[in-house]
Amino acid sequence: MPRTKNSARFTKYLCLDCRKTLKREVEGPATRTCANCGGEAVRMGHRFRAPALSKKQEWDVVLFLVRNGFYFDRVYVSTSTPGTQALLTYPTSMQEAKAFVEQWADYAQPLELYREQYISANAKR
Ligand SMILES: [Zn+2]
């Protein structure tokens, strides 16, 4: 399919080493090489907002979630009401993040598997 200007959408990748975000086209692998340090940059979901570099505690939470298989995508989970789903809200403190990772372990995508993915331009995010 020919690429048009309108289809060139961008998404964020986060380097886990230097915490820089890179903007890259939507279509592509789930991880890329960081332009700053050469480390691995991981594709982040739409809901990701990078904290200020000085906010160490916020970064600890982000990195903890990514290392546990959550990339700030929209994740819908089943609720106690049959046939209904709820959108996960990402935690903002480390205490919440630890509980979150345990509670939603079934929804995690381990980085080893995530890394293998290739996202096409038409994928819905
Ligand atoms: Zn880097």
Side-chain angles (χ1 to χ4, degrees):
M1 206 195 298
R3 233 178 241 184
T4 65
K5 249 190 168 168
N6 290 335
S7 70
R9 293 179 298 145
F10 291 85
T11 193
K12 275 182 217 151
Y13 284 75
L14 171 67
C15 176
L16 303 185
D17 294 325
C18 69
R19 301 177 190 185
K20 289 245 183 212
T21 53
L22 330 168
K23 245 184 169 180
R24 293 292 181 269
E25 281 185 47
V26 166
E27 180 162 343
T31 62
R32 295 182 190 257
T33 303
C34 172
N36 187 52
C37 74
E40 184 176 48
V42 178
R43 181 194 185 88
M44 299 299 280
H46 227 59
R47 297 156 67 90
F48 177 66
R49 298 283 176 275
L53 279 176
S54 59
K55 304 269 187 194
K56 188 184 178 305
Q57 288 178 351
E58 290 179 33
W59 275 107
D60 285 348
V61 171
V62 167
L63 297 177
F64 178 80
L65 289 171
V66 169
R67 292 193 172 115
N68 282 282
F70 292 94
Y71 309 95
F72 292 78
D73 278 318
R74 271 174 218 278
V75 177
Y76 289 92
V77 297
S78 300
T79 69
S80 52
T81 310
T84 62
Q85 291 195 313
L87 185 59
L88 276 191
T89 304
Y90 285 89
T92 53
S93 75
M94 189 53 100
Q95 197 184 350
E96 287 169 355
K98 284 179 178 161
F100 177 96
V101 161
E102 257 179 50
Q103 185 176 2
W104 306 114
D106 289 351
Y107 295 88
Q109 297 183 70
L111 192 52
E112 313 84 87
L113 302 177
Y114 189 64
R115 201 179 265 143
E116 310 282 305
Q117 293 183 14
Y118 186 92
I119 295 91
S120 86
N122 298 319
K124 290 257 192 306
R125 301 281 295 176

